[in-house]
Amino acid sequence: MNNIKITKTSQSRLSSVDFENIPFGQTFSDHMFVVDYKDGKWQDPEIMPFGDLLISPVNLALHYGQSIFEGMKASLKNDGTPALFRPEQHVIRINASARRMMMPEMPESLFLDAVNTLVDLEKEWIPKAKGSALYMRPIMFATDAVLGVKVSNTYKFIIIVGPVGPYYPKPVKLIAETKYIRAANGGVGEAKTAGNYAASLLPAQLAKEKGYDQVIWLDSKEFKYIQEAGTMNLFFVFKDKVVTPDTSGTILKGITRMSLIDLLKKDGVTVEERPLSIDEVVEAHNKGNLLEIFGSGTAAVVANVSEFCYKDKIYKLSDSSTHETANGLRERINALRAGEIEDTFGWVVDVKSIAKV
Ligand code: COI
């Protein structure tokens, strides 16, 4: 057990939160976890009142982008127990991102103690409505203050948490991006690093101006193979199988993605993880073989897709209420989180009460 110092806020903001209206990413709880890396180790972990940080204008992360993050969720089971969804997978993924970006790994025990202690302290902030959750955002960034393109010697790791409703409250419209790319082989597409999201903003804005919520990223060589949608992995439901692009280094290894694959396989559905061309999707749509497209992610959970656009042609999908696969999977994930169905995979982990206050 790591010794986490806790300083509580003198004035909670909890009573000012409208839990009926919690748009994604706008409300944060009273406390945050902070730990610094220096002299080759993580030192002095603490939970303190949520607040601004003092950062040098020379901060290496601001200049050269050594910055990674995670997205996780805690929710309440129907019996009121706070629970986490596959927390150990988030440690694995943040450490994979850290290795790619030449940043120090986070010991699993410190990460999990931090998450458990913080959620236990902030459990009143977990929204009760089904499909909502306490979103957790662990972030790690360089803190050296020297202007050299080099690996930082010091870092900060922070976890902030806040109540959220669904990331996409409505079915989304996607447009296949044929000019810009998100990631190329050998790049950083698999890392959850800030720059990947910065690079997506211009194409996302152009897509928005055309009436689309997100882009479908295609591969960097041929603009042919589907990668992901930037905020979520993508699944394509054909008449006889479900296909999702394989994680070959350019797309994020989604934890919801891998969970959905397991659930589908458990149900006996054929799931193929492989290169999938946009032409194959268009052809299936034209032949009436494409039943659904949906996105998956911690924030998005399972997001229905209502239509997609490729080379100025619009391909409409059937009404989302008929999307049995996507809707069924979303229900299953929510029911697992609520403890309503048996968790045969052991994904939902009760929060440990370990806060020493
Ligand atoms: C998440 O799903 O948790 C993410 O980090 C995606 C983010 C762009 C909202």
Side-chain angles (χ1 to χ4, degrees):
M1 168 73 197
N2 293 277
N3 194 13
I4 300 173
K5 180 180 160 200
I6 299 173
T7 309
K8 280 189 165 187
T9 181
S10 55
Q11 196 139 38
S12 172
R13 290 176 280 103
L14 184 60
S15 60
S16 67
V17 177
D18 175 7
F19 278 90
E20 303 298 311
N21 176 28
I22 37 174
F24 192 94
Q26 294 183 24
T27 307
F28 296 95
S29 76
D30 286 329
H31 300 94
M32 61 186 184
F33 172 85
V34 181
V35 62
D36 289 308
Y37 183 89
K38 50 182 184 278
D39 302 327
K41 55 179 194 289
W42 292 103
Q43 311 202 9
D44 308 324
E46 58 179 313
I47 287 176
M48 59 175 74
F50 178 95
D52 292 346
L53 304 168
L54 197 61
I55 298 273
S56 164
V58 195
N59 173 286
L60 266 190
L62 296 179
H63 293 267
Y64 306 122
Q66 263 189 306
S67 177
I68 58 176
F69 69 96
E70 270 301 308
M72 314 171 53
K73 275 180 176 168
S75 40
L76 287 180
K77 289 183 174 175
N78 286 351
D79 67 4
T81 315
L84 306 165
F85 191 76
R86 309 191 76 175
E88 74 300 335
Q89 289 297 330
H90 291 277
V91 192
I92 292 171
R93 193 169 65 181
I94 200 166
N95 283 334
S97 299
R99 286 191 296 275
R100 179 64 183 86
M101 304 307 289
M102 288 295 288
M103 298 167 79
E105 293 192 29
M106 174 56 49
E108 184 182 76
S109 73
L110 179 55
F111 186 101
L112 295 179
D113 283 355
V115 163
N116 278 284
T117 310
L118 187 59
V119 176
D120 189 42
L121 189 66
E122 305 293 60
K123 51 180 176 270
E124 301 297 324
W125 287 82
I126 307 177
K128 296 187 176 62
K130 206 157 188 195
S132 59
L134 189 74
Y135 186 74
M136 279 173 274
R137 174 52 64 88
I139 174 173
M140 187 197 297
F141 57 93
T143 51
D144 274 9
V146 267
L147 270 197
V149 181
K150 69 169 201 77
V151 175
S152 182
N153 289 314
T154 60
Y155 296 85
K156 230 178 225 316
F157 174 85
I158 297 176
I159 306 176
I160 49 173
V161 305
V164 296
Y167 194 79
Y168 291 114
K170 288 195 314 229
V172 294
K173 292 178 176 183
L174 303 177
I175 180 165
E177 176 56 57
T178 52
K179 177 175 177 193
Y180 297 101
I181 61 152
R182 175 184 178 275
N185 288 337
V188 294
E190 200 172 86
K192 213 160 165 57
T193 185
N196 283 338
Y197 296 82
S200 76
L201 296 177
L202 172 62
Q205 176 60 28
L206 298 174
K208 205 173 232 168
E209 284 164 16
K210 291 185 190 157
Y212 293 91
D213 301 292
Q214 267 289 315
V215 302
I216 299 177
W217 293 110
L218 300 175
D219 78 275
S220 61
K221 264 194 189 156
E222 299 174 81
F223 284 94
K224 181 173 173 183
Y225 294 100
I226 293 168
Q227 294 182 336
E228 56 161 268
T231 49
M232 49 191 189
N233 295 115
L234 288 173
F235 285 77
F236 297 79
V237 183
F238 297 101
K239 272 194 173 153
D240 54 344
K241 61 188 168 230
V242 174
V243 183
T244 189
D246 53 330
T247 55
S248 56
T250 53
I251 72 171
L252 194 78
K253 283 189 172 159
I255 292 161
T256 308
R257 173 189 178 280
M258 68 166 103
S259 309
L260 300 184
I261 291 172
D262 285 348
L263 288 174
L264 287 166
K265 285 188 173 163
K266 190 176 170 217
D267 290 348
V269 175
T270 303
V271 185
E272 295 176 3
E273 293 177 71
R274 62 166 169 85
L276 173 66
S277 73
I278 185 83
D279 301 312
E280 182 178 338
V281 174
V282 166
E283 193 187 321
H285 184 275
N286 289 341
K287 288 187 174 155
N289 290 335
L290 178 68
L291 304 182
E292 304 172 29
I293 301 176
F294 61 88
S296 73
T298 297
V301 190
V302 175
N304 301 96
V305 174
S306 56
E307 66 178 61
F308 70 98
C309 176
Y310 176 53
K311 292 188 175 164
D312 295 328
K313 271 202 167 157
I314 293 170
Y315 300 89
K316 288 202 184 290
L317 293 154
S318 59
D319 190 273
S320 298
S321 63
T322 65
H323 292 187
E324 285 175 11
T325 305
N327 298 342
L329 286 169
R330 183 172 44 246
E331 280 298 306
R332 288 264 282 289
I333 293 284
N334 286 337
L336 278 166
R337 285 205 172 115
E340 279 168 7
I341 54 174
E342 197 193 347
D343 177 19
T344 51
F345 291 104
W347 291 338
V348 181
V349 187
D350 290 356
V351 168
K352 289 186 205 70
S353 252
I354 49 180
K356 287 200 202 107
V357 187

